[in-house]
Amino acid sequence: MKTYIWTAPTRIFHWLLAIGFTVAFILGDFDNLSNLHFAFGAFVGVLLFFRILFGLFGPTYSAFKDFQIGLKSQREFIHSFFSKGKIFAGHNPVASV
């Protein structure tokens, strides 16, 4: 049986953020579609607001308190990256920064 680390809300957030940012970026080149550009920008802003809430109150791997941002963790990750050592579940220390 396959075990998923990322919850459904985290996966949905990720794809909606990618789509929203891409569409807003593309629509930025068209002056006649500026209302849609602003709407998608607001959509991305709302997504980020809810991600912050999810990071404060969400499950283990999505919570900010699970992020390993210390220098010791960074060195350990870089060392294990080249030696195929430790496997990091969730955010690795570099991604946590």
Side-chain angles (χ1 to χ4, degrees):
M1 182 173 166
K2 201 175 208 181
T3 302
Y4 292 103
I5 291 177
W6 304 111
T7 60
T10 305
R11 292 170 188 264
I12 292 168
F13 160 79
H14 177 266
W15 285 107
L16 288 177
L17 181 68
I19 292 166
F21 183 83
T22 302
V23 171
F25 181 78
I26 291 169
L27 290 176
D29 291 338
F30 301 100
D31 291 335
N32 58 337
L33 298 175
S34 63
N35 286 340
L36 279 175
H37 170 74
F38 293 136
F40 274 96
F43 176 68
V44 167
V46 168
L47 283 174
L48 291 175
F49 172 75
F50 282 110
R51 175 59 180 104
I52 290 170
L53 289 178
F54 203 64
L56 294 173
F57 305 110
T60 302
Y61 295 111
S62 296
F64 296 144
K65 64 184 173 196
D66 188 55
F67 289 10
Q68 303 172 15
I69 59 173
L71 290 176
K72 181 179 178 184
S73 299
Q74 301 295 329
R75 282 191 299 257
E76 183 181 318
F77 173 73
I78 291 169
H79 178 70
S80 69
F81 184 78
F82 293 109
S83 66
K84 304 292 182 197
K86 184 177 177 182
I87 296 175
F88 294 87
H91 284 95
N92 64 48
V94 175
S96 295
V97 174

Coordinates of all heavy atoms in Angstrom, one line a residue:
M1 N 0.8 -1.2 0.0 CA 0.0 0.0 0.0 C 0.9 1.2 0.0 O 1.9 1.3 0.7 CB -0.9 0.0 1.2 CG -1.8 1.1 1.3 SD -3.0 0.9 2.7 CE -3.6 2.5 2.8
K2 N 0.5 2.2 -0.8 CA 1.3 3.4 -0.9 C 0.9 4.4 0.2 O -0.3 4.6 0.4 CB 1.0 4.0 -2.3 CG 2.0 5.0 -2.8 CD 1.7 5.4 -4.2 CE 2.9 5.8 -5.0 NZ 2.6 6.2 -6.3
T3 N 1.9 5.0 0.8 CA 1.6 6.0 1.8 C 2.0 7.4 1.3 O 3.1 7.6 0.7 CB 2.5 5.8 3.1 OG1 2.2 4.4 3.5 CG2 2.2 6.7 4.2
Y4 N 1.0 8.3 1.4 CA 1.2 9.7 0.9 C 1.6 10.6 2.1 O 1.0 10.6 3.2 CB -0.1 10.2 0.3 CG -0.4 9.5 -1.0 CD1 -1.4 8.6 -1.0 CD2 0.2 9.8 -2.2 CE1 -1.8 8.0 -2.2 CE2 -0.1 9.2 -3.3 CZ -1.1 8.3 -3.3 OH -1.4 7.6 -4.5
I5 N 2.7 11.4 1.9 CA 3.1 12.3 2.9 C 2.3 13.6 2.9 O 1.9 14.1 3.9 CB 4.6 12.6 2.8 CG1 5.4 11.4 3.1 CG2 5.0 13.8 3.6 CD1 6.9 11.5 2.9
W6 N 2.1 14.1 1.7 CA 1.3 15.3 1.5 C -0.2 15.0 1.5 O -0.6 14.2 0.8 CB 1.7 16.0 0.2 CG 3.2 16.2 0.1 CD1 4.1 15.6 -0.7 CD2 4.0 17.1 1.0 NE1 5.4 16.1 -0.4 CE2 5.3 17.0 0.6 CE3 3.7 18.0 2.0 CZ2 6.3 17.7 1.2 CZ3 4.7 18.7 2.6 CH2 6.0 18.5 2.2
T7 N -0.9 15.8 2.2 CA -2.4 15.7 2.3 C -3.0 16.3 1.0 O -2.4 17.0 0.3 CB -2.9 16.4 3.5 OG1 -2.6 17.8 3.4 CG2 -2.3 15.8 4.8
A8 N -4.3 15.9 0.8 CA -5.0 16.4 -0.3 C -5.0 17.9 -0.4 O -4.8 18.5 -1.5 CB -6.4 15.8 -0.4
P9 N -5.3 18.7 0.7 CA -5.3 20.1 0.6 C -4.0 20.7 0.2 O -3.9 21.7 -0.5 CB -5.7 20.6 2.1 CG -6.4 19.4 2.6 CD -5.8 18.2 2.0
T10 N -2.9 20.1 0.6 CA -1.6 20.6 0.2 C -1.3 20.3 -1.2 O -0.8 21.2 -1.9 CB -0.4 19.9 1.1 OG1 -0.7 20.0 2.4 CG2 0.9 20.4 0.7
R11 N -1.7 19.2 -1.8 CA -1.6 18.9 -3.2 C -2.4 19.9 -4.0 O -2.0 20.4 -5.1 CB -1.9 17.5 -3.5 CG -1.0 16.5 -2.9 CD -1.6 15.1 -3.0 NE -0.8 14.1 -2.3 CZ 0.2 13.4 -2.9 NH1 0.4 13.5 -4.2 NH2 0.9 12.5 -2.2
I12 N -3.7 20.1 -3.6 CA -4.6 20.9 -4.3 C -4.0 22.4 -4.3 O -4.0 23.1 -5.3 CB -6.0 20.9 -3.7 CG1 -6.6 19.5 -4.0 CG2 -6.9 21.9 -4.3 CD1 -7.9 19.2 -3.3
F13 N -3.6 22.8 -3.1 CA -3.0 24.2 -3.0 C -1.8 24.3 -4.0 O -1.7 25.3 -4.7 CB -2.5 24.4 -1.6 CG -1.5 25.6 -1.6 CD1 -1.9 26.9 -1.6 CD2 -0.1 25.3 -1.5 CE1 -1.0 27.9 -1.6 CE2 0.8 26.3 -1.5 CZ 0.4 27.6 -1.5
H14 N -1.0 23.3 -4.1 CA 0.2 23.4 -4.9 C -0.2 23.6 -6.4 O 0.4 24.5 -7.1 CB 1.1 22.2 -4.8 CG 2.3 22.1 -5.6 ND1 2.2 21.5 -6.9 CD2 3.5 22.7 -5.5 CE1 3.4 21.7 -7.4 NE2 4.2 22.4 -6.6
W15 N -1.1 22.8 -6.9 CA -1.5 22.9 -8.3 C -2.3 24.2 -8.6 O -2.1 24.8 -9.6 CB -2.3 21.7 -8.7 CG -1.3 20.5 -8.9 CD1 -1.1 19.5 -8.1 CD2 -0.3 20.4 -9.9 NE1 -0.1 18.7 -8.5 CE2 0.4 19.3 -9.6 CE3 0.1 21.2 -11.0 CZ2 1.5 18.9 -10.5 CZ3 1.1 20.8 -11.8 CH2 1.8 19.6 -11.5
L16 N -3.2 24.6 -7.6 CA -3.9 25.8 -7.9 C -3.0 27.0 -7.9 O -3.1 28.0 -8.6 CB -5.0 26.0 -6.8 CG -6.2 25.1 -6.9 CD1 -7.2 25.3 -5.8 CD2 -6.9 25.3 -8.3
L17 N -1.9 27.0 -7.0 CA -0.9 28.1 -7.0 C -0.2 28.1 -8.3 O 0.0 29.2 -8.8 CB 0.0 27.9 -5.8 CG 1.1 29.0 -5.6 CD1 0.4 30.3 -5.2 CD2 2.1 28.6 -4.6
A18 N 0.3 27.0 -8.8 CA 1.0 26.9 -10.0 C 0.2 27.4 -11.2 O 0.6 28.2 -12.0 CB 1.5 25.5 -10.3
I19 N -1.1 27.0 -11.2 CA -2.0 27.4 -12.3 C -2.3 28.9 -12.2 O -2.2 29.6 -13.2 CB -3.3 26.6 -12.3 CG1 -2.9 25.1 -12.7 CG2 -4.3 27.2 -13.2 CD1 -4.1 24.1 -12.4
G20 N -2.7 29.4 -11.0 CA -3.0 30.8 -10.8 C -1.9 31.7 -11.1 O -2.0 32.7 -11.8
F21 N -0.7 31.3 -10.7 CA 0.5 32.2 -10.9 C 0.8 32.2 -12.4 O 1.1 33.3 -13.0 CB 1.7 31.7 -10.1 CG 2.9 32.5 -10.3 CD1 3.1 33.7 -9.5 CD2 3.9 32.2 -11.3 CE1 4.2 34.5 -9.7 CE2 5.0 33.0 -11.4 CZ 5.2 34.1 -10.7
T22 N 0.8 31.1 -13.1 CA 1.1 31.0 -14.5 C 0.1 31.8 -15.3 O 0.4 32.6 -16.2 CB 1.1 29.6 -15.0 OG1 2.0 28.8 -14.2 CG2 1.4 29.5 -16.5
V23 N -1.2 31.7 -15.0 CA -2.3 32.4 -15.7 C -2.1 33.9 -15.5 O -2.2 34.7 -16.4 CB -3.7 31.9 -15.4 CG1 -4.7 32.8 -15.9 CG2 -3.9 30.5 -15.8
A24 N -1.9 34.3 -14.2 CA -1.7 35.8 -13.9 C -0.5 36.3 -14.7 O -0.5 37.4 -15.2 CB -1.5 36.0 -12.4
F25 N 0.6 35.5 -14.7 CA 1.8 35.9 -15.4 C 1.5 36.1 -16.9 O 2.0 37.1 -17.5 CB 2.9 34.9 -15.2 CG 4.2 35.3 -15.9 CD1 5.1 36.2 -15.3 CD2 4.6 34.7 -17.1 CE1 6.3 36.6 -15.9 CE2 5.8 35.0 -17.7 CZ 6.6 36.0 -17.1
I26 N 0.9 35.2 -17.5 CA 0.6 35.3 -19.0 C -0.4 36.4 -19.2 O -0.2 37.2 -20.2 CB 0.0 33.9 -19.5 CG1 1.1 32.9 -19.5 CG2 -0.6 34.1 -20.9 CD1 0.6 31.5 -19.7
L27 N -1.4 36.6 -18.4 CA -2.4 37.7 -18.6 C -1.8 39.1 -18.4 O -2.4 40.1 -18.8 CB -3.6 37.5 -17.7 CG -4.5 36.3 -18.1 CD1 -5.6 36.2 -17.1 CD2 -5.1 36.5 -19.5
G28 N -0.6 39.2 -17.7 CA 0.0 40.4 -17.5 C 0.5 41.1 -18.8 O 0.7 42.3 -18.8
D29 N 0.6 40.4 -19.9 CA 1.0 41.0 -21.1 C -0.1 41.6 -22.0 O 0.1 42.2 -23.0 CB 1.7 39.9 -22.0 CG 3.1 39.5 -21.4 OD1 3.6 40.3 -20.6 OD2 3.5 38.4 -21.7
F30 N -1.3 41.4 -21.5 CA -2.5 41.8 -22.3 C -3.2 42.9 -21.5 O -3.8 42.7 -20.5 CB -3.4 40.7 -22.6 CG -2.8 39.5 -23.4 CD1 -2.4 38.4 -22.7 CD2 -2.6 39.6 -24.7 CE1 -1.8 37.4 -23.4 CE2 -2.0 38.6 -25.4 CZ -1.6 37.5 -24.8
D31 N -3.2 44.2 -22.1 CA -3.8 45.3 -21.4 C -5.3 45.2 -21.3 O -5.9 45.6 -20.3 CB -3.5 46.6 -22.1 CG -2.0 47.0 -21.9 OD1 -1.4 46.5 -20.9 OD2 -1.5 47.7 -22.8
N32 N -5.9 44.6 -22.3 CA -7.4 44.4 -22.3 C -7.9 43.3 -21.3 O -9.1 43.2 -21.1 CB -7.9 44.2 -23.7 CG -7.3 42.9 -24.3 OD1 -6.3 42.5 -24.0 ND2 -8.0 42.4 -25.3
L33 N -7.0 42.5 -20.8 CA -7.4 41.5 -19.8 C -6.8 41.8 -18.4 O -6.7 40.8 -17.6 CB -6.8 40.1 -20.3 CG -7.4 39.6 -21.7 CD1 -6.7 38.4 -22.1 CD2 -8.9 39.4 -21.6
S34 N -6.6 43.0 -18.1 CA -6.0 43.4 -16.8 C -6.9 43.0 -15.7 O -6.5 42.7 -14.6 CB -5.7 44.9 -16.8 OG -6.8 45.7 -16.9
N35 N -8.3 43.0 -15.9 CA -9.2 42.6 -14.8 C -9.0 41.1 -14.4 O -9.0 40.8 -13.3 CB -10.6 42.9 -15.2 CG -11.0 44.3 -15.1 OD1 -10.3 45.1 -14.5 ND2 -12.1 44.7 -15.8
L36 N -8.8 40.3 -15.4 CA -8.5 38.9 -15.2 C -7.2 38.7 -14.5 O -7.0 37.9 -13.6 CB -8.6 38.1 -16.5 CG -10.0 37.7 -16.9 CD1 -9.9 37.0 -18.3 CD2 -10.6 36.8 -15.9
H37 N -6.2 39.5 -15.0 CA -4.9 39.4 -14.4 C -4.9 39.8 -12.9 O -4.4 39.0 -12.0 CB -3.9 40.4 -15.1 CG -2.6 40.6 -14.4 ND1 -1.6 39.7 -14.4 CD2 -2.2 41.7 -13.7 CE1 -0.6 40.2 -13.7 NE2 -0.9 41.4 -13.3
F38 N -5.7 40.8 -12.5 CA -5.8 41.2 -11.1 C -6.6 40.1 -10.3 O -6.3 39.9 -9.2 CB -6.5 42.5 -11.0 CG -5.7 43.7 -11.5 CD1 -6.2 44.7 -12.3 CD2 -4.3 43.8 -11.2 CE1 -5.5 45.7 -12.8 CE2 -3.6 44.8 -11.7 CZ -4.1 45.8 -12.5
A39 N -7.6 39.5 -11.0 CA -8.4 38.5 -10.3 C -7.6 37.3 -10.0 O -7.7 36.7 -8.9 CB -9.6 38.1 -11.2
F40 N -6.7 36.9 -10.9 CA -5.9 35.7 -10.7 C -4.8 36.1 -9.6 O -4.4 35.2 -8.8 CB -5.3 35.2 -11.9 CG -6.1 34.2 -12.7 CD1 -7.0 34.6 -13.7 CD2 -6.2 32.9 -12.3 CE1 -7.8 33.7 -14.3 CE2 -7.0 32.0 -12.9 CZ -7.8 32.4 -14.0
G41 N -4.3 37.3 -9.6 CA -3.4 37.7 -8.6 C -4.0 37.7 -7.2 O -3.4 37.3 -6.2
A42 N -5.3 38.1 -7.1 CA -6.0 38.1 -5.8 C -6.2 36.6 -5.4 O -6.1 36.3 -4.3 CB -7.4 38.8 -6.0
F43 N -6.5 35.8 -6.4 CA -6.7 34.3 -6.1 C -5.4 33.7 -5.5 O -5.5 33.0 -4.6 CB -7.1 33.6 -7.4 CG -7.2 32.1 -7.3 CD1 -8.2 31.5 -6.6 CD2 -6.3 31.3 -8.0 CE1 -8.3 30.2 -6.5 CE2 -6.4 29.9 -7.9 CZ -7.4 29.4 -7.2
V44 N -4.3 34.1 -6.1 CA -3.0 33.6 -5.6 C -2.8 34.1 -4.2 O -2.3 33.4 -3.3 CB -1.8 34.0 -6.5 CG1 -0.5 33.8 -5.9 CG2 -1.9 33.2 -7.8
G45 N -3.1 35.4 -3.9 CA -3.0 36.0 -2.6 C -3.9 35.2 -1.6 O -3.4 35.0 -0.5
V46 N -5.1 34.9 -1.9 CA -6.0 34.2 -1.0 C -5.4 32.8 -0.8 O -5.4 32.3 0.4 CB -7.4 34.1 -1.6 CG1 -8.3 33.1 -0.9 CG2 -8.0 35.5 -1.6
L47 N -4.9 32.1 -1.8 CA -4.3 30.8 -1.6 C -3.1 30.9 -0.6 O -2.9 30.0 0.2 CB -3.7 30.3 -3.0 CG -4.8 29.7 -3.9 CD1 -4.1 29.3 -5.2 CD2 -5.4 28.4 -3.3
L48 N -2.3 31.9 -0.8 CA -1.1 32.1 0.1 C -1.6 32.3 1.6 O -1.0 31.8 2.5 CB -0.2 33.2 -0.4 CG 0.6 32.9 -1.7 CD1 1.3 34.1 -2.1 CD2 1.5 31.7 -1.5
F49 N -2.6 33.1 1.7 CA -3.2 33.3 3.1 C -3.6 32.0 3.7 O -3.3 31.7 4.9 CB -4.4 34.3 3.0 CG -5.1 34.5 4.3 CD1 -4.5 35.2 5.3 CD2 -6.3 33.9 4.5 CE1 -5.2 35.4 6.5 CE2 -7.0 34.0 5.7 CZ -6.4 34.8 6.7
F50 N -4.3 31.2 3.0 CA -4.8 29.9 3.5 C -3.6 29.0 3.7 O -3.7 28.1 4.6 CB -5.9 29.3 2.7 CG -7.2 29.9 2.9 CD1 -7.8 30.7 1.9 CD2 -7.9 29.8 4.1 CE1 -9.0 31.3 2.2 CE2 -9.1 30.3 4.4 CZ -9.7 31.1 3.4
R51 N -2.6 29.1 2.9 CA -1.4 28.2 3.1 C -0.7 28.6 4.4 O -0.2 27.7 5.1 CB -0.4 28.3 1.9 CG 0.9 27.5 2.1 CD 0.6 26.0 2.4 NE 1.8 25.3 2.6 CZ 2.3 24.9 3.7 NH1 1.6 25.1 4.8 NH2 3.4 24.2 3.8
I52 N -0.6 29.9 4.7 CA 0.0 30.3 6.0 C -0.8 29.8 7.2 O -0.3 29.2 8.1 CB 0.1 31.8 6.0 CG1 1.1 32.3 5.0 CG2 0.4 32.3 7.4 CD1 1.2 33.8 4.8
L53 N -2.2 29.8 7.1 CA -3.0 29.3 8.1 C -2.8 27.7 8.2 O -2.7 27.2 9.4 CB -4.5 29.5 7.9 CG -5.0 31.0 8.0 CD1 -6.4 31.1 7.7 CD2 -4.7 31.4 9.4
F54 N -2.7 27.1 7.1 CA -2.5 25.6 7.1 C -1.1 25.3 7.6 O -0.9 24.3 8.3 CB -2.6 25.1 5.7 CG -2.9 23.6 5.6 CD1 -4.1 23.1 6.1 CD2 -2.1 22.7 5.0 CE1 -4.4 21.8 6.0 CE2 -2.4 21.4 4.9 CZ -3.6 20.9 5.4
G55 N -0.1 26.2 7.4 CA 1.2 26.0 8.0 C 1.3 26.2 9.5 O 2.1 25.6 10.1
L56 N 0.4 27.0 10.0 CA 0.4 27.2 11.4 C -0.5 26.2 12.2 O -0.1 25.8 13.3 CB -0.2 28.6 11.7 CG 0.6 29.8 11.3 CD1 -0.1 31.1 11.5 CD2 2.0 29.8 12.0
F57 N -1.5 25.7 11.5 CA -2.5 24.8 12.2 C -2.7 23.5 11.5 O -3.5 22.7 11.9 CB -3.8 25.5 12.3 CG -3.8 26.8 13.0 CD1 -4.0 27.9 12.3 CD2 -3.5 26.9 14.4 CE1 -4.0 29.2 12.9 CE2 -3.4 28.1 15.0 CZ -3.7 29.3 14.3
G58 N -1.9 23.2 10.5 CA -2.1 22.0 9.6 C -1.4 20.7 10.2 O -0.8 20.7 11.3
P59 N -1.5 19.7 9.4 CA -0.9 18.4 9.8 C 0.7 18.4 9.8 O 1.3 19.4 9.4 CB -1.4 17.4 8.8 CG -1.7 18.2 7.6 CD -2.1 19.6 8.1
T60 N 1.3 17.4 10.3 CA 2.7 17.3 10.5 C 3.6 17.8 9.4 O 4.4 18.8 9.6 CB 3.1 15.8 10.8 OG1 2.3 15.4 11.9 CG2 4.6 15.7 11.1
Y61 N 3.5 17.3 8.2 CA 4.5 17.6 7.2 C 4.2 19.0 6.6 O 5.0 19.6 5.9 CB 4.5 16.5 6.1 CG 5.1 15.3 6.6 CD1 4.3 14.1 6.8 CD2 6.4 15.2 7.0 CE1 4.8 13.0 7.3 CE2 6.9 14.0 7.5 CZ 6.1 12.9 7.7 OH 6.6 11.7 8.2
S62 N 3.0 19.5 6.7 CA 2.6 20.8 6.2 C 2.9 21.9 7.2 O 2.9 23.1 6.8 CB 1.2 20.8 5.7 OG 0.9 19.9 4.7
A63 N 3.0 21.6 8.5 CA 3.2 22.6 9.5 C 4.6 23.2 9.4 O 5.6 22.5 9.2 CB 2.9 22.0 10.9
F64 N 4.6 24.5 9.7 CA 5.9 25.2 9.7 C 6.8 24.8 10.8 O 8.1 24.8 10.6 CB 5.7 26.7 9.8 CG 5.0 27.3 8.6 CD1 4.1 28.4 8.8 CD2 5.1 26.9 7.3 CE1 3.4 29.0 7.8 CE2 4.5 27.4 6.3 CZ 3.6 28.5 6.5
K65 N 6.3 24.3 11.9 CA 7.1 23.8 13.0 C 7.9 22.6 12.6 O 8.9 22.2 13.3 CB 6.3 23.6 14.2 CG 5.3 22.5 14.1 CD 4.4 22.3 15.3 CE 3.3 21.3 15.0 NZ 2.2 21.4 16.0
D66 N 7.5 21.9 11.5 CA 8.2 20.7 11.1 C 9.4 21.0 10.2 O 10.2 20.2 9.9 CB 7.2 19.8 10.3 CG 7.8 18.4 10.0 OD1 8.3 17.7 10.9 OD2 7.8 18.1 8.8
F67 N 9.5 22.3 9.8 CA 10.6 22.7 8.8 C 11.9 22.7 9.6 O 12.0 23.3 10.7 CB 10.3 24.1 8.3 CG 9.2 24.1 7.3 CD1 8.3 23.0 7.1 CD2 8.9 25.2 6.5 CE1 7.3 23.1 6.2 CE2 7.9 25.3 5.6 CZ 7.1 24.2 5.4
Q68 N 12.9 22.1 9.0 CA 14.2 22.1 9.6 C 15.1 23.1 8.9 O 15.6 22.9 7.8 CB 14.9 20.7 9.4 CG 14.0 19.6 10.0 CD 14.6 18.2 9.6 OE1 15.7 18.1 9.1 NE2 13.8 17.2 9.7
I69 N 15.3 24.3 9.6 CA 16.0 25.4 8.9 C 17.3 25.7 9.6 O 18.0 26.6 9.2 CB 15.1 26.6 8.8 CG1 14.7 27.1 10.2 CG2 13.9 26.4 7.9 CD1 14.0 28.4 10.2
G70 N 17.7 25.0 10.6 CA 19.0 25.2 11.3 C 20.2 24.9 10.4 O 20.1 24.1 9.5
L71 N 21.3 25.5 10.8 CA 22.6 25.3 10.0 C 23.0 23.8 10.1 O 23.5 23.3 9.1 CB 23.7 26.2 10.5 CG 23.5 27.7 10.2 CD1 24.6 28.5 10.8 CD2 23.5 27.9 8.7
K72 N 22.8 23.2 11.2 CA 23.2 21.8 11.4 C 22.4 20.9 10.4 O 22.9 20.0 9.7 CB 22.9 21.3 12.8 CG 23.3 19.9 13.1 CD 23.1 19.5 14.5 CE 23.4 18.0 14.7 NZ 23.1 17.6 16.1
S73 N 21.1 21.2 10.3 CA 20.2 20.4 9.3 C 20.7 20.7 7.9 O 20.7 19.8 7.1 CB 18.8 20.8 9.5 OG 18.3 20.5 10.8
Q74 N 21.0 21.9 7.6 CA 21.5 22.3 6.2 C 22.8 21.5 5.9 O 22.8 20.9 4.8 CB 21.7 23.8 6.1 CG 20.5 24.6 6.4 CD 19.4 24.4 5.4 OE1 19.6 24.2 4.3 NE2 18.2 24.6 5.9
R75 N 23.7 21.5 6.8 CA 25.0 20.8 6.5 C 24.7 19.3 6.4 O 25.3 18.6 5.5 CB 26.0 21.0 7.6 CG 26.7 22.3 7.5 CD 27.8 22.4 8.5 NE 27.4 22.3 9.9 CZ 27.2 23.3 10.7 NH1 27.6 24.5 10.4 NH2 26.8 23.0 12.0
E76 N 23.9 18.7 7.2 CA 23.5 17.3 7.2 C 22.9 16.9 5.9 O 23.2 15.9 5.2 CB 22.6 16.9 8.3 CG 22.3 15.5 8.4 CD 21.3 15.2 9.6 OE1 21.5 15.8 10.7 OE2 20.4 14.4 9.4
F77 N 22.0 17.8 5.4 CA 21.3 17.5 4.1 C 22.3 17.6 3.0 O 22.3 16.7 2.1 CB 20.2 18.6 3.9 CG 19.6 18.4 2.5 CD1 18.8 17.4 2.2 CD2 19.9 19.4 1.5 CE1 18.2 17.2 0.9 CE2 19.3 19.2 0.3 CZ 18.5 18.2 0.0
I78 N 23.1 18.6 2.9 CA 24.1 18.7 1.8 C 25.0 17.5 1.8 O 25.3 16.9 0.8 CB 24.9 20.0 1.9 CG1 23.9 21.2 1.6 CG2 26.1 20.1 1.0 CD1 24.5 22.6 1.9
H79 N 25.5 17.1 3.0 CA 26.3 15.9 3.1 C 25.6 14.6 2.6 O 26.1 13.9 1.8 CB 26.8 15.7 4.5 CG 27.7 14.5 4.7 ND1 29.0 14.4 4.1 CD2 27.5 13.3 5.3 CE1 29.5 13.2 4.4 NE2 28.6 12.5 5.1
S80 N 24.4 14.5 3.0 CA 23.6 13.3 2.6 C 23.2 13.3 1.2 O 23.0 12.3 0.5 CB 22.4 13.1 3.5 OG 21.4 14.1 3.3
F81 N 23.1 14.5 0.6 CA 22.7 14.7 -0.8 C 23.8 14.0 -1.7 O 23.5 13.4 -2.7 CB 22.6 16.2 -1.1 CG 22.1 16.4 -2.5 CD1 20.8 16.3 -2.9 CD2 23.0 16.8 -3.5 CE1 20.3 16.5 -4.1 CE2 22.5 17.1 -4.8 CZ 21.2 16.9 -5.1
F82 N 25.1 14.2 -1.4 CA 26.1 13.7 -2.2 C 26.5 12.3 -1.8 O 27.1 11.6 -2.6 CB 27.4 14.6 -2.1 CG 27.2 15.9 -2.7 CD1 27.0 17.1 -1.9 CD2 27.0 16.1 -4.1 CE1 26.8 18.3 -2.5 CE2 26.8 17.3 -4.6 CZ 26.7 18.4 -3.8
S83 N 26.1 11.8 -0.6 CA 26.5 10.4 -0.2 C 25.3 9.5 -0.2 O 25.5 8.3 0.2 CB 27.1 10.5 1.2 OG 26.2 10.9 2.1
K84 N 24.2 9.9 -0.6 CA 22.9 9.1 -0.6 C 22.7 8.5 0.8 O 22.4 7.3 0.9 CB 23.0 8.0 -1.7 CG 23.3 8.5 -3.1 CD 22.1 9.2 -3.6 CE 22.5 9.6 -5.0 NZ 21.6 10.6 -5.5
G85 N 22.8 9.3 1.8 CA 22.5 8.9 3.1 C 21.1 9.0 3.6 O 20.2 8.3 3.1
K86 N 20.8 9.9 4.5 CA 19.5 10.1 5.1 C 18.5 10.5 4.1 O 18.7 11.3 3.2 CB 19.6 11.1 6.2 CG 18.4 11.3 7.0 CD 18.6 12.3 8.1 CE 17.3 12.5 8.9 NZ 17.5 13.5 9.9
I87 N 17.3 10.0 4.2 CA 16.1 10.4 3.4 C 15.2 11.3 4.2 O 14.9 10.9 5.4 CB 15.3 9.1 2.9 CG1 16.2 8.3 2.0 CG2 14.1 9.6 2.2 CD1 15.6 7.0 1.5
F88 N 14.9 12.4 3.7 CA 14.0 13.4 4.4 C 12.6 13.3 3.9 O 12.3 13.4 2.8 CB 14.5 14.8 4.2 CG 15.9 15.0 4.7 CD1 17.0 14.7 4.0 CD2 16.0 15.5 6.0 CE1 18.3 15.0 4.5 CE2 17.3 15.8 6.6 CZ 18.4 15.5 5.8
A89 N 11.7 13.0 4.9 CA 10.3 13.0 4.6 C 9.7 14.4 4.7 O 10.1 15.1 5.6 CB 9.5 12.0 5.5
G90 N 8.8 14.8 3.8 CA 8.3 16.1 3.8 C 9.3 17.1 3.2 O 10.0 16.8 2.3
H91 N 9.4 18.3 3.8 CA 10.3 19.3 3.3 C 11.7 18.9 3.8 O 11.9 18.7 4.9 CB 10.0 20.7 3.8 CG 8.8 21.3 3.2 ND1 7.5 21.2 3.7 CD2 8.7 22.0 2.0 CE1 6.7 21.8 2.9 NE2 7.4 22.3 1.9
N92 N 12.7 18.9 2.8 CA 14.1 18.8 3.2 C 14.5 20.1 3.8 O 13.9 21.1 3.6 CB 14.9 18.2 2.1 CG 15.0 19.2 0.9 OD1 15.3 20.4 1.1 ND2 14.8 18.7 -0.3
P93 N 15.7 20.2 4.5 CA 16.1 21.5 5.1 C 16.3 22.6 4.1 O 15.9 23.7 4.4 CB 17.4 21.1 5.7 CG 17.3 19.7 6.0 CD 16.5 19.1 4.9
V94 N 16.8 22.3 2.9 CA 16.9 23.4 1.9 C 15.6 23.9 1.4 O 15.3 25.1 1.3 CB 17.8 23.0 0.7 CG1 17.9 24.0 -0.4 CG2 19.2 22.6 1.2
A95 N 14.6 23.0 1.2 CA 13.3 23.4 0.8 C 12.5 24.2 1.9 O 11.7 25.0 1.7 CB 12.5 22.2 0.3
S96 N 12.9 23.9 3.1 CA 12.3 24.5 4.3 C 12.6 26.0 4.4 O 11.9 26.8 4.9 CB 12.7 23.9 5.6 OG 12.2 22.5 5.6
V97 N 13.8 26.4 3.9 CA 14.2 27.8 3.9 C 13.3 28.5 2.9 O 12.8 29.6 3.2 CB 15.7 27.9 3.5 CG1 16.1 29.4 3.4 CG2 16.6 27.3 4.5

